[in-house]
Amino acid sequence: MPSFDRTTMHATAAHPATSAATTPATSSAASPGVDPSTPSSADTDTFRALIRSLPAGFQWGSATSAAQIEGAAREDGKGESIWDRFCARPGAIKDGSDIDVACDHYRRYPQDVKLMQWLGLDAYRFSFAWPRVQPLGRGAWNEAGFAFYDRLIDTLLEAGIQPNATLYHWDLPQALDESIGGLLSREVVPLFADYAAEIARRFGDRLATIATLNEPWCSATLGYETAQFAPGHRNRAEATQVSHHLLMMHGAAIQAMRAVGGQARLGIVLNHTPSFPADPLSEADRRAARIDDGTNVRWYMDPVFRGQYPADIVEYLGADAPLIEVGDLALIQQPLDFLGVNFYTRSVLDGRQAMVKPPGELGFTDMGWEIYPQALTQHLLRISREYTPPPIVITENGMANADRVVDGRVADPARIAYLRGHLEAVAQAVALGADVRGYFYWSLLDNFEWNSGYEKRFGLFHVDYATQQRLAKDSAHWYRDMIAAFKAPR
Ligand code: FCB
């Protein structure tokens, strides 16, 4: 994400209805809004050849997270999360919405799995809501919550889709915020490890992968420094302390899950927004880009893969650097089976450490994020060279677009161009030696885009929040055709 402003464009769309609806989601796996005439003609032979050059077994997926799609916020014993609480804070969410219903995926997951099957997905990335399975974040487990994930995972497996889970995609049990101070307290570390071990015990043999955290930078910086995300604090020293606790949670969870055993491959998902100087000839701009890279990429990659924080950033943070105890860094540096990279855009900085509007030759998304796929190729090659990481998976990539349904169709050529450009960038990185094993489009469905509410649409499927109807956008057709072409006999 661009460092200090996740949404650089202000939302303008109308307040979406979020009430539960009885209209069923599109039910046929064969035709969720299929218009057979939808063209994929934007593809050149070169593009198709490049995609087909990806290794056999390359995984095609799509991603979501619990708080953004499940709804059923207070059902079957689910505990409150910090996002349930944050939504109630006046002004916190741009359209004043909440996550009580979201995409009603808690009830509609069978139809949603059918949409994945129609796309031809190999894999689906979702997250467990910790407060659904352990309402207070410690103590009693909620069997009804586990039963939901049990059904979801079995439905995916029956559909031939590999379940890829994340343990923490930002929805901390609110009770932990109140009882121990949430992520500000070291006490959260063993509690998270207990939760991780329980998930591994129950699901470790059916999950393909388990990622500990999604984008700890966002949890720490947007949650504790800029107040854009739950729990909405504004204090840099708190943010860096939280980042350290998150990294410890990651290490402790990996240890705990390894002790349980199971077949799932274990890793972490980091958001990488490569930093560029506004003027490459300006030393001040280059320094700003280096610091931005340090706080966003190296602050997480260095401890996870090298067991140390970057010295220049510790110095830059000064008195706001976190308190670290003996053994913490050894805990953080665990052997991993994969690295998840979420990539959306790049940041361009000037010498005052401020983000400047980049040229945007390929345009900007509805979030105001520049479309700049070439940074993905460069970045994958750079991290491969500098860190020798385990196999990489692109665990998120996608764009918000001001989609409209017109005559039963969503024409989103901009999203097709985005997808195409980024797949090309991934394939080029692979051709140049990066070990990338899969790609997950963000997101399967339009959903709750955090502090932007429902106004930003990232989905391959359009969601009508008044009826909960799902409709395949043109980009869904394109992705489906691309996956089919990849898998066609050669
Ligand atoms: C990422 C988040 C994901 C979604 C996308 C647009 O930072 O992991 O939940 O909000 O951005």
Side-chain angles (χ1 to χ4, degrees):
M1 288 320 104
S3 299
F4 288 103
D5 194 357
R6 184 170 164 91
T7 47
T8 49
M9 289 227 327
H10 288 282
T12 50
H15 189 300
T18 54
S19 57
T22 48
T23 316
T26 312
S27 54
S28 159
S31 58
V34 178
D35 169 1
S37 66
T38 304
S40 301
S41 56
D43 298 348
T44 60
D45 290 347
T46 325
F47 174 74
R48 285 182 179 261
L50 191 58
I51 294 303
R52 297 226 339 169
S53 74
L54 286 166
F58 188 87
Q59 282 207 313
W60 299 105
S62 184
T64 63
S65 86
Q68 293 175 279
I69 65 165
E70 284 181 2
R74 293 181 227 320
E75 283 165 56
D76 295 339
K78 176 181 169 293
E80 193 185 3
S81 82
I82 56 173
W83 272 93
D84 292 305
R85 182 65 63 97
F86 190 63
C87 289
R89 185 194 278 199
I93 311 298
K94 291 204 176 92
D95 61 5
S97 60
D98 60 40
I99 52 176
D100 288 0
V101 176
C103 302
D104 194 29
H105 174 76
Y106 188 71
R107 257 178 288 275
R108 292 168 194 269
Y109 72 90
Q111 292 96 318
D112 291 340
V113 172
K114 287 197 172 112
L115 303 181
M116 300 174 207
Q117 229 178 344
W118 175 81
L119 283 170
L121 297 189
D122 300 305
Y124 170 58
R125 173 171 176 252
F126 67 97
S127 75
F128 288 98
W130 184 359
R132 193 179 290 292
V133 300
Q134 194 180 32
L136 302 179
R138 64 196 332 175
W141 304 111
N142 178 30
E143 292 305 326
F146 281 122
F148 165 66
Y149 296 108
D150 215 55
R151 293 192 297 274
L152 172 64
I153 291 166
D154 283 347
T155 307
L156 287 164
L157 290 172
E158 280 158 25
I161 297 168
Q162 292 194 17
N164 289 249
T166 302
L167 297 176
Y168 186 67
H169 200 127
W170 309 351
D171 44 359
L172 191 80
Q174 173 65 27
L176 282 186
D177 215 46
E178 287 161 26
S179 60
I180 61 168
L183 300 175
L184 280 168
S185 164
R186 287 174 71 94
E187 286 178 56
V188 72
V189 175
L191 296 176
F192 186 69
D194 286 349
Y195 156 59
E198 189 65 18
I199 295 285
R201 260 192 292 277
R202 291 178 184 244
F203 303 111
D205 282 327
R206 282 178 287 161
L207 292 170
T209 64
I210 305 177
T212 52
L213 306 176
N214 177 71
E215 305 191 348
W217 179 89
C218 290
S219 305
T221 304
L222 304 179
Y224 286 85
E225 183 171 349
T226 70
Q228 286 168 289
F229 280 10
H233 295 205
R234 202 181 284 280
N235 180 321
R236 188 172 77 163
E238 282 190 5
T240 65
Q241 196 60 48
V242 161
S243 70
H244 182 59
H245 295 160
L246 282 161
L247 285 161
M248 290 174 66
M249 285 160 65
H250 158 74
I254 295 283
Q255 266 191 347
M257 292 191 289
R258 295 263 186 238
V260 171
Q263 60 141 35
R265 296 187 300 284
L266 308 181
I268 188 169
V269 171
L270 301 175
N271 53 304
H272 284 176
T273 304
S275 313
F276 288 70
D279 174 1
L281 298 179
S282 152
E283 201 177 312
D285 293 10
R286 285 205 307 270
R287 177 174 186 275
R290 174 104 191 125
I291 289 173
D292 191 62
D293 174 72
T295 55
N296 151 335
V297 174
R298 291 182 287 120
W299 189 257
Y300 295 91
M301 291 289 281
D302 285 18
V304 166
F305 294 110
R306 297 178 178 159
Q308 61 191 36
Y309 283 108
D312 59 333
I313 302 304
V314 173
E315 191 189 324
Y316 167 75
L317 291 171
D320 289 344
L323 299 171
I324 300 169
E325 295 183 11
V326 175
D328 289 357
L329 283 153
L331 175 67
I332 293 168
Q333 190 190 11
Q334 298 294 322
L336 299 183
D337 305 320
F338 74 96
L339 167 67
V341 171
N342 293 355
F343 175 92
Y344 288 90
T345 185
R346 66 166 173 167
S347 305
V348 179
L349 294 110
D350 71 15
R352 295 164 303 143
Q353 203 65 46
M355 287 195 40
V356 301
K357 192 170 181 198
E361 279 161 22
L362 298 178
F364 296 85
T365 74
D366 201 29
M367 297 294 282
W369 299 348
E370 188 195 19
I371 300 171
Y372 198 75
Q374 57 267 52
L376 178 55
T377 308
Q378 290 166 8
H379 187 72
L380 288 169
L381 294 171
R382 172 222 167 169
I383 58 175
S384 303
R385 188 176 63 240
E386 289 183 7
Y387 293 93
T388 334
I392 297 171
V393 178
I394 305 299
T395 32
E396 286 181 28
N397 173 246
M399 77 176 281
N401 190 49
D403 298 318
R404 297 274 173 274
V405 182
V406 178
D407 296 333
R409 173 174 171 190
V410 178
D412 57 346
R415 184 175 284 106
I416 295 176
Y418 182 100
L419 247 166
R420 198 170 174 284
H422 287 81
L423 291 180
E424 208 160 28
V426 172
Q428 264 156 2
V430 171
L432 292 168
D435 185 6
V436 184
R437 304 279 176 95
Y439 173 91
F440 290 70
Y441 179 79
W442 181 275
S443 181
L444 179 72
L445 305 168
D446 290 341
N447 58 43
F448 176 77
E449 177 44 36
W450 308 111
N451 60 336
S452 300
Y454 296 92
E455 293 182 344
K456 301 297 178 198
R457 294 182 176 271
F458 277 90
L460 292 169
F461 288 88
H462 180 274
V463 176
D464 176 339
Y465 294 108
T467 63
Q468 290 295 347
Q469 194 81 34
R470 278 74 160 138
L471 174 67
K473 301 178 189 176
D474 282 4
S475 54
H477 292 271
W478 183 89
Y479 195 45
R480 176 181 195 254
D481 289 352
M482 200 273 318
I483 294 172
F486 176 79
K487 291 185 177 168
R490 304 171 185 217

mmCIF file of all heavy atoms in Angstrom, residues 82 168 172 176-178 180-189 219-220 223-225 231-246 248-249 323:
data_model
loop_
_atom_site.group_PDB
_atom_site.id
_atom_site.type_symbol
_atom_site.label_atom_id
_atom_site.label_comp_id
_atom_site.label_asym_id
_atom_site.label_seq_id
_atom_site.Cartn_x
_atom_site.Cartn_y
_atom_site.Cartn_z
ATOM 1 N N ILE A 82 -12.369 -6.483 16.474
ATOM 2 C CA ILE A 82 -12.051 -5.047 16.519
ATOM 3 C C ILE A 82 -12.648 -4.323 15.311
ATOM 4 O O ILE A 82 -12.881 -3.120 15.375
ATOM 5 C CB ILE A 82 -10.529 -4.767 16.645
ATOM 6 C CG1 ILE A 82 -9.724 -5.428 15.514
ATOM 7 C CG2 ILE A 82 -10.026 -5.221 18.011
ATOM 8 C CD1 ILE A 82 -8.232 -5.034 15.498
ATOM 9 N N TYR A 168 -4.841 -14.810 10.469
ATOM 10 C CA TYR A 168 -5.153 -13.470 10.974
ATOM 11 C C TYR A 168 -5.200 -12.462 9.841
ATOM 12 O O TYR A 168 -4.175 -12.012 9.348
ATOM 13 C CB TYR A 168 -4.139 -13.021 12.038
ATOM 14 C CG TYR A 168 -4.546 -11.710 12.664
ATOM 15 C CD1 TYR A 168 -5.685 -11.639 13.457
ATOM 16 C CD2 TYR A 168 -3.842 -10.534 12.435
ATOM 17 C CE1 TYR A 168 -6.114 -10.433 13.994
ATOM 18 C CE2 TYR A 168 -4.253 -9.328 12.970
ATOM 19 C CZ TYR A 168 -5.388 -9.290 13.752
ATOM 20 O OH TYR A 168 -5.820 -8.101 14.287
ATOM 21 N N LEU A 172 -9.080 -9.110 14.988
ATOM 22 C CA LEU A 172 -8.735 -9.555 16.347
ATOM 23 C C LEU A 172 -9.993 -9.626 17.214
ATOM 24 O O LEU A 172 -10.860 -8.753 17.115
ATOM 25 C CB LEU A 172 -7.772 -8.537 16.973
ATOM 26 C CG LEU A 172 -7.105 -8.974 18.279
ATOM 27 C CD1 LEU A 172 -5.933 -9.902 17.986
ATOM 28 C CD2 LEU A 172 -6.626 -7.765 19.086
ATOM 29 N N LEU A 176 -9.955 -9.347 23.403
ATOM 30 C CA LEU A 176 -8.517 -9.283 23.702
ATOM 31 C C LEU A 176 -8.039 -7.837 23.769
ATOM 32 O O LEU A 176 -7.130 -7.508 24.535
ATOM 33 C CB LEU A 176 -7.705 -10.019 22.637
ATOM 34 C CG LEU A 176 -7.658 -11.533 22.694
ATOM 35 C CD1 LEU A 176 -6.684 -12.059 21.657
ATOM 36 C CD2 LEU A 176 -7.272 -12.023 24.090
ATOM 37 N N ASP A 177 -8.649 -6.987 22.951
ATOM 38 C CA ASP A 177 -8.280 -5.577 23.005
ATOM 39 C C ASP A 177 -8.590 -5.049 24.399
ATOM 40 O O ASP A 177 -7.827 -4.269 24.970
ATOM 41 C CB ASP A 177 -9.071 -4.795 21.942
ATOM 42 C CG ASP A 177 -8.258 -3.665 21.344
ATOM 43 O OD1 ASP A 177 -7.092 -3.921 20.998
ATOM 44 O OD2 ASP A 177 -8.774 -2.538 21.242
ATOM 45 N N GLU A 178 -9.696 -5.504 24.942
ATOM 46 C CA GLU A 178 -10.107 -5.002 26.259
ATOM 47 C C GLU A 178 -9.373 -5.692 27.405
ATOM 48 O O GLU A 178 -8.991 -5.054 28.377
ATOM 49 C CB GLU A 178 -11.631 -5.164 26.410
ATOM 50 C CG GLU A 178 -12.346 -4.123 25.539
ATOM 51 C CD GLU A 178 -13.800 -4.460 25.235
ATOM 52 O OE1 GLU A 178 -14.422 -5.191 26.037
ATOM 53 O OE2 GLU A 178 -14.291 -3.988 24.188
ATOM 54 N N ILE A 180 -6.343 -7.477 27.425
ATOM 55 C CA ILE A 180 -4.875 -7.373 27.543
ATOM 56 C C ILE A 180 -4.290 -6.171 26.790
ATOM 57 O O ILE A 180 -3.085 -5.965 26.799
ATOM 58 C CB ILE A 180 -4.179 -8.665 27.035
ATOM 59 C CG1 ILE A 180 -4.499 -8.925 25.550
ATOM 60 C CG2 ILE A 180 -4.557 -9.875 27.894
ATOM 61 C CD1 ILE A 180 -3.625 -9.989 24.907
ATOM 62 N N GLY A 181 -5.140 -5.427 26.081
ATOM 63 C CA GLY A 181 -4.595 -4.339 25.248
ATOM 64 C C GLY A 181 -4.309 -4.803 23.834
ATOM 65 O O GLY A 181 -3.573 -4.141 23.099
ATOM 66 N N GLY A 182 -4.872 -5.940 23.441
ATOM 67 C CA GLY A 182 -4.770 -6.413 22.057
ATOM 68 C C GLY A 182 -3.336 -6.589 21.599
ATOM 69 O O GLY A 182 -2.484 -7.130 22.321
ATOM 70 N N LEU A 183 -3.051 -6.123 20.391
ATOM 71 C CA LEU A 183 -1.732 -6.327 19.787
ATOM 72 C C LEU A 183 -0.649 -5.503 20.473
ATOM 73 O O LEU A 183 0.545 -5.718 20.224
ATOM 74 C CB LEU A 183 -1.788 -5.979 18.295
ATOM 75 C CG LEU A 183 -2.781 -6.791 17.445
ATOM 76 C CD1 LEU A 183 -2.810 -6.257 16.004
ATOM 77 C CD2 LEU A 183 -2.413 -8.275 17.436
ATOM 78 N N LEU A 184 -1.048 -4.599 21.354
ATOM 79 C CA LEU A 184 -0.037 -3.815 22.085
ATOM 80 C C LEU A 184 0.651 -4.643 23.168
ATOM 81 O O LEU A 184 1.680 -4.235 23.701
ATOM 82 C CB LEU A 184 -0.696 -2.597 22.738
ATOM 83 C CG LEU A 184 -0.936 -1.413 21.803
ATOM 84 C CD1 LEU A 184 -1.858 -0.391 22.465
ATOM 85 C CD2 LEU A 184 0.407 -0.778 21.432
ATOM 86 N N SER A 185 0.042 -5.780 23.497
ATOM 87 C CA SER A 185 0.582 -6.577 24.600
ATOM 88 C C SER A 185 1.299 -7.822 24.089
ATOM 89 O O SER A 185 0.787 -8.529 23.215
ATOM 90 C CB SER A 185 -0.576 -6.998 25.510
ATOM 91 O OG SER A 185 -0.167 -8.045 26.345
ATOM 92 N N ARG A 186 2.426 -8.137 24.686
ATOM 93 C CA ARG A 186 3.133 -9.383 24.338
ATOM 94 C C ARG A 186 2.308 -10.615 24.682
ATOM 95 O O ARG A 186 2.567 -11.704 24.168
ATOM 96 C CB ARG A 186 4.458 -9.484 25.106
ATOM 97 C CG ARG A 186 5.558 -8.573 24.633
ATOM 98 C CD ARG A 186 6.768 -8.666 25.558
ATOM 99 N NE ARG A 186 7.497 -9.928 25.448
ATOM 100 C CZ ARG A 186 8.554 -10.109 24.663
ATOM 101 N NH1 ARG A 186 9.017 -9.134 23.917
ATOM 102 N NH2 ARG A 186 9.171 -11.284 24.631
ATOM 103 N N GLU A 187 1.353 -10.430 25.559
ATOM 104 C CA GLU A 187 0.537 -11.585 25.967
ATOM 105 C C GLU A 187 -0.241 -12.180 24.796
ATOM 106 O O GLU A 187 -0.729 -13.308 24.870
ATOM 107 C CB GLU A 187 -0.490 -11.173 27.036
ATOM 108 C CG GLU A 187 0.090 -10.943 28.402
ATOM 109 C CD GLU A 187 -1.004 -10.497 29.369
ATOM 110 O OE1 GLU A 187 -2.001 -11.206 29.511
ATOM 111 O OE2 GLU A 187 -0.841 -9.397 29.942
ATOM 112 N N VAL A 188 -0.413 -11.385 23.736
ATOM 113 C CA VAL A 188 -1.165 -11.895 22.589
ATOM 114 C C VAL A 188 -0.394 -13.013 21.872
ATOM 115 O O VAL A 188 -0.998 -13.860 21.206
ATOM 116 C CB VAL A 188 -1.500 -10.724 21.616
ATOM 117 C CG1 VAL A 188 -0.262 -10.231 20.875
ATOM 118 C CG2 VAL A 188 -2.616 -11.095 20.650
ATOM 119 N N VAL A 189 0.921 -13.043 22.050
ATOM 120 C CA VAL A 189 1.751 -13.989 21.289
ATOM 121 C C VAL A 189 1.402 -15.450 21.613
ATOM 122 O O VAL A 189 1.043 -16.221 20.712
ATOM 123 C CB VAL A 189 3.259 -13.674 21.475
ATOM 124 C CG1 VAL A 189 4.123 -14.723 20.783
ATOM 125 C CG2 VAL A 189 3.573 -12.269 20.944
ATOM 126 N N SER A 219 -1.854 -3.941 9.593
ATOM 127 C CA SER A 219 -2.369 -4.028 10.974
ATOM 128 C C SER A 219 -1.661 -3.012 11.857
ATOM 129 O O SER A 219 -2.286 -2.312 12.652
ATOM 130 C CB SER A 219 -2.120 -5.411 11.589
ATOM 131 O OG SER A 219 -2.643 -6.427 10.802
ATOM 132 N N ALA A 220 -0.339 -2.929 11.720
ATOM 133 C CA ALA A 220 0.435 -2.074 12.619
ATOM 134 C C ALA A 220 0.312 -0.599 12.232
ATOM 135 O O ALA A 220 -0.082 0.244 13.057
ATOM 136 C CB ALA A 220 1.907 -2.509 12.601
ATOM 137 N N GLY A 223 -3.494 0.547 11.533
ATOM 138 C CA GLY A 223 -4.295 0.363 12.752
ATOM 139 C C GLY A 223 -3.821 1.192 13.927
ATOM 140 O O GLY A 223 -4.617 1.605 14.768
ATOM 141 N N TYR A 224 -2.493 1.471 13.996
ATOM 142 C CA TYR A 224 -1.952 2.113 15.205
ATOM 143 C C TYR A 224 -1.224 3.429 14.957
ATOM 144 O O TYR A 224 -0.920 4.135 15.905
ATOM 145 C CB TYR A 224 -1.023 1.134 15.938
ATOM 146 C CG TYR A 224 -1.804 0.042 16.639
ATOM 147 C CD1 TYR A 224 -2.192 -1.101 15.957
ATOM 148 C CD2 TYR A 224 -2.197 0.183 17.967
ATOM 149 C CE1 TYR A 224 -2.940 -2.092 16.575
ATOM 150 C CE2 TYR A 224 -2.939 -0.798 18.598
ATOM 151 C CZ TYR A 224 -3.312 -1.927 17.899
ATOM 152 O OH TYR A 224 -4.057 -2.884 18.522
ATOM 153 N N GLU A 225 -0.925 3.732 13.690
ATOM 154 C CA GLU A 225 -0.200 4.985 13.449
ATOM 155 C C GLU A 225 -1.069 6.027 12.733
ATOM 156 O O GLU A 225 -1.025 7.212 13.053
ATOM 157 C CB GLU A 225 1.064 4.707 12.623
ATOM 158 C CG GLU A 225 1.902 5.964 12.395
ATOM 159 C CD GLU A 225 3.255 5.659 11.781
ATOM 160 O OE1 GLU A 225 3.646 4.487 11.720
ATOM 161 O OE2 GLU A 225 3.922 6.619 11.358
ATOM 162 N N PRO A 231 -7.554 -0.859 15.438
ATOM 163 C CA PRO A 231 -8.509 -0.220 16.344
ATOM 164 C C PRO A 231 -8.471 1.305 16.314
ATOM 165 O O PRO A 231 -9.092 1.938 17.156
ATOM 166 C CB PRO A 231 -8.057 -0.749 17.710
ATOM 167 C CG PRO A 231 -6.572 -0.903 17.560
ATOM 168 C CD PRO A 231 -6.334 -1.309 16.132
ATOM 169 N N GLY A 232 -7.779 1.892 15.334
ATOM 170 C CA GLY A 232 -7.871 3.342 15.137
ATOM 171 C C GLY A 232 -7.033 4.179 16.084
ATOM 172 O O GLY A 232 -7.459 5.234 16.531
ATOM 173 N N HIS A 233 -5.808 3.729 16.366
ATOM 174 C CA HIS A 233 -4.907 4.544 17.213
ATOM 175 C C HIS A 233 -4.035 5.416 16.304
ATOM 176 O O HIS A 233 -3.883 5.135 15.121
ATOM 177 C CB HIS A 233 -3.996 3.654 18.053
ATOM 178 C CG HIS A 233 -4.731 2.834 19.067
ATOM 179 N ND1 HIS A 233 -4.140 2.362 20.216
ATOM 180 C CD2 HIS A 233 -6.017 2.383 19.126
ATOM 181 C CE1 HIS A 233 -5.009 1.653 20.913
ATOM 182 N NE2 HIS A 233 -6.161 1.652 20.277
ATOM 183 N N ARG A 234 -3.418 6.440 16.931
ATOM 184 C CA ARG A 234 -2.560 7.338 16.168
ATOM 185 C C ARG A 234 -1.278 7.597 16.968
ATOM 186 O O ARG A 234 -1.153 8.590 17.668
ATOM 187 C CB ARG A 234 -3.306 8.651 15.941
ATOM 188 C CG ARG A 234 -2.792 9.459 14.761
ATOM 189 C CD ARG A 234 -3.581 10.747 14.630
ATOM 190 N NE ARG A 234 -4.917 10.566 14.062
ATOM 191 C CZ ARG A 234 -5.179 10.423 12.762
ATOM 192 N NH1 ARG A 234 -4.198 10.432 11.886
ATOM 193 N NH2 ARG A 234 -6.417 10.291 12.334
ATOM 194 N N ASN A 235 -0.354 6.630 16.896
ATOM 195 C CA ASN A 235 0.837 6.724 17.726
ATOM 196 C C ASN A 235 1.931 5.831 17.107
ATOM 197 O O ASN A 235 1.791 4.606 17.084
ATOM 198 C CB ASN A 235 0.462 6.229 19.140
ATOM 199 C CG ASN A 235 1.613 6.281 20.109
ATOM 200 O OD1 ASN A 235 2.747 5.989 19.755
ATOM 201 N ND2 ASN A 235 1.313 6.619 21.342
ATOM 202 N N ARG A 236 2.995 6.449 16.588
ATOM 203 C CA ARG A 236 3.988 5.667 15.855
ATOM 204 C C ARG A 236 4.716 4.646 16.741
ATOM 205 O O ARG A 236 5.029 3.535 16.296
ATOM 206 C CB ARG A 236 5.001 6.580 15.165
ATOM 207 C CG ARG A 236 5.925 5.790 14.244
ATOM 208 C CD ARG A 236 6.804 6.660 13.393
ATOM 209 N NE ARG A 236 7.921 7.195 14.156
ATOM 210 C CZ ARG A 236 9.022 7.710 13.611
ATOM 211 N NH1 ARG A 236 9.119 7.800 12.295
ATOM 212 N NH2 ARG A 236 9.997 8.175 14.361
ATOM 213 N N ALA A 237 4.978 5.019 17.984
ATOM 214 C CA ALA A 237 5.684 4.071 18.863
ATOM 215 C C ALA A 237 4.812 2.836 19.098
ATOM 216 O O ALA A 237 5.300 1.692 19.118
ATOM 217 C CB ALA A 237 6.035 4.746 20.191
ATOM 218 N N GLU A 238 3.518 3.053 19.248
ATOM 219 C CA GLU A 238 2.616 1.904 19.404
ATOM 220 C C GLU A 238 2.668 1.029 18.153
ATOM 221 O O GLU A 238 2.709 -0.197 18.236
ATOM 222 C CB GLU A 238 1.169 2.376 19.598
ATOM 223 C CG GLU A 238 0.867 2.874 20.980
ATOM 224 C CD GLU A 238 -0.635 3.108 21.190
ATOM 225 O OE1 GLU A 238 -1.459 2.802 20.312
ATOM 226 O OE2 GLU A 238 -0.968 3.611 22.270
ATOM 227 N N ALA A 239 2.650 1.681 16.991
ATOM 228 C CA ALA A 239 2.633 0.914 15.727
ATOM 229 C C ALA A 239 3.872 0.026 15.600
ATOM 230 O O ALA A 239 3.773 -1.133 15.184
ATOM 231 C CB ALA A 239 2.534 1.861 14.537
ATOM 232 N N THR A 240 5.032 0.546 15.968
ATOM 233 C CA THR A 240 6.232 -0.283 15.799
ATOM 234 C C THR A 240 6.243 -1.419 16.837
ATOM 235 O O THR A 240 6.667 -2.533 16.536
ATOM 236 C CB THR A 240 7.537 0.537 15.918
ATOM 237 O OG1 THR A 240 7.639 1.045 17.237
ATOM 238 C CG2 THR A 240 7.570 1.674 14.915
ATOM 239 N N GLN A 241 5.736 -1.121 18.040
ATOM 240 C CA GLN A 241 5.663 -2.190 19.044
ATOM 241 C C GLN A 241 4.706 -3.283 18.572
ATOM 242 O O GLN A 241 4.981 -4.478 18.693
ATOM 243 C CB GLN A 241 5.204 -1.611 20.400
ATOM 244 C CG GLN A 241 5.462 -2.551 21.575
ATOM 245 C CD GLN A 241 6.945 -2.873 21.738
ATOM 246 O OE1 GLN A 241 7.802 -1.997 21.721
ATOM 247 N NE2 GLN A 241 7.259 -4.157 21.856
ATOM 248 N N VAL A 242 3.582 -2.860 18.006
ATOM 249 C CA VAL A 242 2.609 -3.824 17.476
ATOM 250 C C VAL A 242 3.232 -4.637 16.339
ATOM 251 O O VAL A 242 3.038 -5.848 16.247
ATOM 252 C CB VAL A 242 1.326 -3.081 17.015
ATOM 253 C CG1 VAL A 242 0.494 -3.928 16.057
ATOM 254 C CG2 VAL A 242 0.492 -2.672 18.231
ATOM 255 N N SER A 243 4.018 -3.990 15.476
ATOM 256 C CA SER A 243 4.632 -4.743 14.371
ATOM 257 C C SER A 243 5.531 -5.841 14.937
ATOM 258 O O SER A 243 5.569 -6.967 14.408
ATOM 259 C CB SER A 243 5.420 -3.816 13.438
ATOM 260 O OG SER A 243 6.593 -3.333 14.067
ATOM 261 N N HIS A 244 6.235 -5.525 16.020
ATOM 262 C CA HIS A 244 7.107 -6.534 16.637
ATOM 263 C C HIS A 244 6.278 -7.681 17.221
ATOM 264 O O HIS A 244 6.614 -8.860 17.040
ATOM 265 C CB HIS A 244 7.972 -5.860 17.706
ATOM 266 C CG HIS A 244 8.933 -6.800 18.364
ATOM 267 N ND1 HIS A 244 9.887 -7.499 17.656
ATOM 268 C CD2 HIS A 244 9.065 -7.190 19.674
ATOM 269 C CE1 HIS A 244 10.583 -8.268 18.502
ATOM 270 N NE2 HIS A 244 10.097 -8.104 19.719
ATOM 271 N N HIS A 245 5.190 -7.347 17.877
ATOM 272 C CA HIS A 245 4.345 -8.411 18.449
ATOM 273 C C HIS A 245 3.729 -9.272 17.336
ATOM 274 O O HIS A 245 3.618 -10.493 17.484
ATOM 275 C CB HIS A 245 3.250 -7.814 19.335
ATOM 276 C CG HIS A 245 3.804 -7.129 20.547
ATOM 277 N ND1 HIS A 245 3.102 -6.194 21.262
ATOM 278 C CD2 HIS A 245 5.019 -7.239 21.157
ATOM 279 C CE1 HIS A 245 3.853 -5.756 22.267
ATOM 280 N NE2 HIS A 245 5.017 -6.368 22.214
ATOM 281 N N LEU A 246 3.326 -8.621 16.236
ATOM 282 C CA LEU A 246 2.770 -9.398 15.115
ATOM 283 C C LEU A 246 3.810 -10.378 14.583
ATOM 284 O O LEU A 246 3.505 -11.555 14.326
ATOM 285 C CB LEU A 246 2.320 -8.450 14.001
ATOM 286 C CG LEU A 246 0.983 -7.744 14.235
ATOM 287 C CD1 LEU A 246 0.866 -6.504 13.336
ATOM 288 C CD2 LEU A 246 -0.193 -8.684 13.964
ATOM 289 N N MET A 248 6.271 -11.629 16.186
ATOM 290 C CA MET A 248 6.424 -12.709 17.185
ATOM 291 C C MET A 248 5.237 -13.686 17.111
ATOM 292 O O MET A 248 5.407 -14.900 17.274
ATOM 293 C CB MET A 248 6.524 -12.124 18.594
ATOM 294 C CG MET A 248 7.829 -11.384 18.836
ATOM 295 S SD MET A 248 7.804 -10.566 20.448
ATOM 296 C CE MET A 248 7.760 -11.988 21.554
ATOM 297 N N MET A 249 4.055 -13.147 16.902
ATOM 298 C CA MET A 249 2.880 -14.024 16.741
ATOM 299 C C MET A 249 3.102 -14.969 15.574
ATOM 300 O O MET A 249 2.799 -16.161 15.651
ATOM 301 C CB MET A 249 1.615 -13.177 16.466
ATOM 302 C CG MET A 249 1.064 -12.474 17.683
ATOM 303 S SD MET A 249 -0.007 -11.064 17.236
ATOM 304 C CE MET A 249 -1.382 -11.857 16.409
ATOM 305 N N LEU A 323 10.522 -2.152 21.688
ATOM 306 C CA LEU A 323 11.292 -2.848 22.725
ATOM 307 C C LEU A 323 11.372 -4.312 22.317
ATOM 308 O O LEU A 323 10.351 -4.938 22.030
ATOM 309 C CB LEU A 323 10.568 -2.754 24.073
ATOM 310 C CG LEU A 323 10.363 -1.343 24.606
ATOM 311 C CD1 LEU A 323 9.449 -1.365 25.827
ATOM 312 C CD2 LEU A 323 11.729 -0.728 24.953
#
